[in-house]
Amino acid sequence: MQPMNQPNQPTPYLGVLHRYGHLLDLPAHTRPVTLLEGDTRLIPVPRLAEELGGDFELYVKFEGLNPTGSFKDRGMTAAVSEALGRGAKAVICASTGNTAASAAAYAARSGLKAVVLIPQGKVAAGKLAGAVAYGAQVVQIEGSFDDALAMVVEISNKHPIALVNSINPYRIEGQKTAAFEICDTLGSAPDWLCLPVGNAGNITAYWAGFRQYERLHGTGLPHILGVQAAGSAPLVLGHPVEHPETVATAIRIGKPARGEQALQAAEESGGRIIAVSDEEILAMQKRLAGEGIWVEPASAAGLAGLAHEIAAGIFKPQGKRIVAVCTGHGLKDPDIITRAMPLPEALPPRLEVLEEVILG
Ligand code: AN7
């Protein structure tokens, strides 16, 4: 008998713990909970590179393509899997929004209760809606993210509720997978990695991930450019910011929990941490959207920092391979676009009117 023609059976993708779990320091009791996060695209943006004034390779690692629309899902799959395996019944976090949505989704997936604390009035609509949709108990704190974080640390020390902020080491373990993916895609580490910095978990994890891959596979190490918003730039100023402010609400953080590690990552890698203005962040958000990549404001900060340094003549990109991490999807924060948007013109349903308007 002739064998039947089989359609191509691609290897199934089963999430970052399945793909990279052997490289992550997770306890044996870990019970994987996944939404098939990770495996995000590295999108080449040659036109943007040219506009920025250089002959160099530029890629966007678009982390907004994760299941809940941000990079947080990589660390959250690890943290919630560990909490579930240890027998936790609930998880808790403080959040500027994305961590909340991610914790809520992974808790829902594993049947755990999620409690999320957010700073009052400063969380983008898509993030709050996500946390609510996934069934989390959402509490607003009349204070900043930093106040909320101090509270969840205290309450998780007192009660059997698993803390899933990036203070939790398993968040960093899972988050390292983004660095592994970049090396696997490019065949080596890029020359530079630029990314936004808020509570500093992501930059800490990237650096740990790149170092681990260098030890294992000799993939080299990137220089890291971490970028804060000027109104929330404790790592640039060298002291905490009591009342952080920025349009990039995701990184409106005045006392980064892993600030020391962020500074160390920047220094060890031969990179730096800088600040850019809200105007520069929004301008870069617009330029990226012009490439068809809509990211939330905070996510444009890394590239805004790169653009700033090139324009100032501090950074010479020629011949380099650069990856910019865009941490969250634009859909998270639609208000930032619609707020300044004139309502689209309303027309009667007649072809000649439409022709007049679009063809002039
Ligand atoms: C889109 O969700 O801190 O430096 O509570 O949502 O690892 O904190 C979010 C942070 C960058 C900064 N981009 O990353 C939270 C939260 C986006 C973010 C950051 C965040 P970290």
Side-chain angles (χ1 to χ4, degrees):
M1 224 171 83
Q2 291 285 325
M4 278 202 313
N5 272 339
Q6 291 289 333
N8 283 329
Q9 295 285 332
T11 318
Y13 179 75
L14 297 173
V16 298
L17 297 187
H18 181 259
R19 182 153 179 199
Y20 293 112
H22 61 290
L23 301 177
L24 308 181
D25 188 7
L26 298 174
H29 64 242
T30 302
R31 268 178 62 194
V33 179
T34 181
L35 288 163
L36 310 190
E37 59 295 311
D39 198 24
T40 56
R41 302 289 88 103
L42 209 50
I43 307 172
V45 283
R47 186 172 53 184
L48 182 56
E50 204 178 304
E51 274 176 35
L52 293 181
D55 182 14
F56 65 105
E57 273 179 61
L58 181 60
Y59 300 89
V60 167
K61 177 117 177 113
F62 192 16
E63 289 284 276
L65 298 178
N66 275 294
T68 78
S70 88
F71 72 104
K72 304 282 184 185
D73 295 343
R74 294 175 183 278
M76 202 56 73
T77 181
V80 172
S81 297
E82 187 280 328
L84 179 70
R86 142 157 72 95
K89 297 286 175 267
V91 300
I92 194 166
C93 66
S95 179
T96 57
N98 279 324
T99 301
S102 185
Y106 283 83
R109 183 83 167 158
S110 51
L112 301 180
K113 177 185 161 96
V115 183
V116 305
L117 271 64
I118 58 173
Q120 188 173 33
K122 297 286 184 182
V123 168
K127 303 175 188 178
L128 179 54
V132 172
Y134 298 126
Q137 182 175 2
V138 181
V139 181
Q140 288 200 76
I141 299 298
E142 294 168 347
S144 66
F145 166 84
D146 307 288
D147 298 324
L149 183 61
M151 289 176 78
V152 296
V153 168
E154 234 174 282
I155 206 163
S156 63
N157 282 335
K158 250 176 100 178
H159 300 278
I161 310 175
L163 180 71
V164 294
N165 278 104
S166 60
I167 301 169
N168 179 325
Y170 309 121
R171 280 279 310 278
I172 303 300
E173 287 302 305
Q175 191 62 41
K176 288 191 310 193
T177 60
F180 301 161
E181 281 178 18
I182 291 175
C183 293
D184 283 341
T185 304
L186 296 177
S188 69
D191 297 308
W192 279 84
L193 182 87
C194 37
L195 80 174
V197 176
N199 211 28
N202 204 23
I203 188 172
T204 299
Y206 267 103
W207 184 234
F210 281 121
R211 276 181 311 166
Q212 187 173 346
Y213 243 48
E214 159 62 12
R215 285 194 302 272
L216 284 172
H217 303 298
T219 35
L221 292 169
H223 305 287
I224 297 189
L225 181 69
V227 186
Q228 301 207 286
S232 307
L235 300 179
V236 178
L237 297 171
H239 59 76
V241 175
E242 209 52 53
H243 300 290
E245 271 311 333
T246 168
V247 69
T249 53
I251 52 173
R252 188 174 158 270
I253 294 174
K255 293 181 207 127
R258 292 188 183 269
E260 283 305 318
Q261 283 167 281
L263 291 167
Q264 201 181 333
E267 194 187 316
E268 283 178 14
S269 74
R272 53 198 167 267
I273 297 184
I274 63 166
V276 292
S277 68
D278 280 4
E279 291 70 33
E280 290 174 292
I281 289 174
L282 293 177
M284 185 52 73
Q285 183 193 32
K286 204 168 167 186
R287 284 170 96 164
L288 274 167
E291 295 285 334
I293 304 169
W294 181 25
V295 305
E296 65 165 283
S299 303
L303 260 176
L306 180 72
H308 180 102
E309 293 230 319
I310 294 175
I314 302 167
F315 186 94
K316 306 260 181 274
Q318 268 61 26
K320 300 214 164 69
R321 187 152 67 164
I322 302 177
V323 171
V325 183
C326 287
T327 42
H329 203 288
L331 285 166
K332 292 276 193 170
D333 194 357
D335 299 349
I336 207 83
I337 306 296
T338 53
R339 212 162 49 198
M341 183 182 90
L343 272 183
E345 197 173 354
L347 302 178
R350 294 210 314 273
L351 194 62
E352 64 274 18
V353 183
L354 179 63
E355 282 174 338
E356 173 64 27
V357 169
I358 67 176
L359 302 173

